[in-house]
């Protein structure tokens, strides 16, 4: 049931956003393509964790696109916080979309951009603090066995060369 709700949330938010940006027919067609994709249907019945992540991120982007008041920016931040709480990738998307929002808001001047970012970060705090508390007490992950520093110590030039070689097919 939970997977069903998140699947329909994604469908409705995607339909609404694309309809607003590209027209009603295109929004409905694109949303139906996503909803009826066999992989998407399989993930929804298995309660795959990326579906709620996608729903929260889509909700955050939807709120951010329409945000005009401090409360709306805080609601977008709260949706980002839910995404961060759900999966670690939520933190990456938060950074990328906050930077995009800051760049998009820059045309209105430095002060409104900072103020809106502040409200978004204030809304983010419940999710962020929950995420931080869980990370503080959770057992170390294999990749983070030595904390964040352990992760960065694994990123070396030779490792990057291996990754590039694999992608290049060498």
């Amino acid at each position: 049931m939970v997977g069903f709700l998140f699947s329909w949330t994604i469908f409705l938010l995607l339909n609404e956003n694309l309809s607003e940006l590209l027209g009603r027919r295109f929004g409905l067609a694109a949303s139906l393509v996503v909803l009826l994709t066999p992989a998407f249907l399989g993930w929804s019945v298995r309660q795959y964790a990326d579906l709620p992540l996608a729903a929260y991120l889509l909700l955050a982007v939807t709120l951010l696109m329409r945000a005009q008041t401090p409360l709306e920016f805080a609601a977008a931040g709260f949706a980002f916080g839910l995404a961060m709480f759900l999966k670690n990738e939520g933190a990456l998307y938060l950074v990328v979309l906050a930077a995009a929002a800051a760049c998009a808001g820059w045309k209105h001047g430095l002060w409104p951009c900072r103020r809106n970012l502040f409200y978004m970060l204030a809304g983010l705090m419940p999710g962020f603090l929950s995420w931080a508390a869980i990370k503080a007490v959770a057992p170390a992950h294999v990749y983070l066995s030595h904390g964040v520093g352990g992760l960065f110590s694994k990123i070396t030039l030779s490792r990057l060369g291996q990754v590039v070689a694999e992608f290049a097919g060498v």
Side-chain angles (χ1 to χ4, degrees):
M1 183 67 176
V2 173
F4 174 79
L5 291 174
F6 279 111
S7 299
W8 277 101
T9 300
I10 291 170
F11 170 77
L12 293 172
L13 287 171
L14 190 61
N15 182 31
E16 180 63 28
N17 288 335
L18 290 177
S19 294
E20 183 179 316
L21 293 173
L22 302 170
R24 202 77 163 140
R25 287 182 185 168
F26 185 82
L28 183 60
S31 301
L32 284 172
V33 166
V34 170
L35 182 67
L36 299 176
T37 303
F40 187 83
L41 291 172
W43 294 334
S44 66
V45 297
R46 290 184 190 89
Q47 296 185 5
Y48 192 64
D50 283 353
L51 282 180
L53 175 66
Y56 289 140
L57 290 174
L58 196 52
L59 176 63
V61 168
T62 301
L63 292 170
L64 198 55
M65 283 174 39
R66 292 168 170 77
Q68 299 293 324
T69 66
L71 185 60
E72 291 168 338
F73 280 100
F78 185 73
F80 277 122
L82 291 174
M84 182 186 289
F85 176 74
L86 183 67
K87 282 190 85 172
N88 289 335
E89 288 84 358
L92 171 67
Y93 290 116
L94 168 72
V95 170
V96 170
L97 288 172
C103 290
W106 195 264
K107 66 183 177 189
H108 299 296
L110 182 61
W111 174 244
C113 180
R114 277 194 213 166
R115 186 188 64 225
N116 295 340
L117 193 58
F118 169 78
Y119 290 124
M120 194 170 92
L121 291 175
L124 170 77
M125 280 300 119
F128 174 76
L129 293 175
S130 301
W131 176 77
I134 287 174
K135 296 300 175 190
V137 298
H141 189 272
V142 175
Y143 297 113
L144 296 177
S145 59
H146 298 94
V148 176
L151 175 66
F152 289 116
S153 70
K154 296 181 186 312
I155 301 173
T156 61
L157 289 177
S158 64
R159 178 68 183 133
L160 290 175
Q162 286 177 322
V163 171
V164 170
E166 285 294 322
F167 277 112
V170 177

